[in-house]
Every structure is written in C-alpha cells, then in structure tokens.
C-alpha cells in the first residue's frame, strides 16, 4: 500500500514507520522541513496550505500523527 504519514518523527510515528516498512509498504513522510525525495520525505506546511499534491495521488491511506506531544 502507498501510505502518507504526518508526524512520523514522533514517538508513535517512528514505531509505526518501522513496522510498516517491515511489511513492505511504500511510505511518504510529510515533513515541515525541506523535501528529501530520496528518503521518501515531502515538504508540508499546514499553516500555509502547502503540500506536494503529486505524492497524494494514488495513496491508499493517510495517517496524521502531527500535533501536541502526548507525554
């Protein structure tokens, strides 16, 4: 499956990414930093409505873990 994940660098996100990679899924990680296509990372700025819409095409699942720290 093609899976888009926001918040992949957090505690839950890291574990989820690891598990999904082991299962062979194609992952695209949304980042507020610069895009790194070779690492599967794409720039996303929700405050300004910026996202690379090309990576969204054909996606099967979107997971949003971005937000406040749960700790």
């Amino acid at each position: 499956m093609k899976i888009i994940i926001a918040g992949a660098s957090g505690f839950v996100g890291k574990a989820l990414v690891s598990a999904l990679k082991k299962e062979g899924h194609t992952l695209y990680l949304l980042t507020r930093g610069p895009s790194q296509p070779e690492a599967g990372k794409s720039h996303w700025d929700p405050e300004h409505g910026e996202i690379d819409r090309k990576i969204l095409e054909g996606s099967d699942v979107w997971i949003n873990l971005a937000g406040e720290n749960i700790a």
Side-chain angles (χ1 to χ4, degrees), residues 1 5 17 31 39 52 69:
M1 277 199 275
I5 303 176
V17 166
T31 178
D52 180 0
N69 188 326

Side-chain angles (χ1 to χ4, degrees), residues 2-70:
K2 180 178 178 180
I3 303 172
I4 312 276
I5 303 176
S9 64
F11 179 74
V12 174
K14 287 179 184 177
L16 180 63
V17 166
S18 177
L20 292 172
K21 280 184 178 180
K22 286 179 185 174
E23 292 182 11
H25 297 289
T26 302
L27 304 181
Y28 290 86
L29 311 179
L30 299 180
T31 178
R32 293 182 186 150
S35 292
Q36 299 174 351
E38 67 284 351
K41 294 183 179 180
S42 182
H43 177 71
W44 171 54
D45 185 347
E47 290 182 20
H48 295 101
E50 298 173 1
I51 192 166
D52 180 0
R53 296 192 185 276
K54 288 182 238 171
I55 69 155
L56 304 178
E57 294 174 9
S59 60
D60 299 298
V61 177
W62 294 9
I63 300 171
N64 184 3
L65 298 172
E68 294 296 319
N69 188 326
I70 61 172

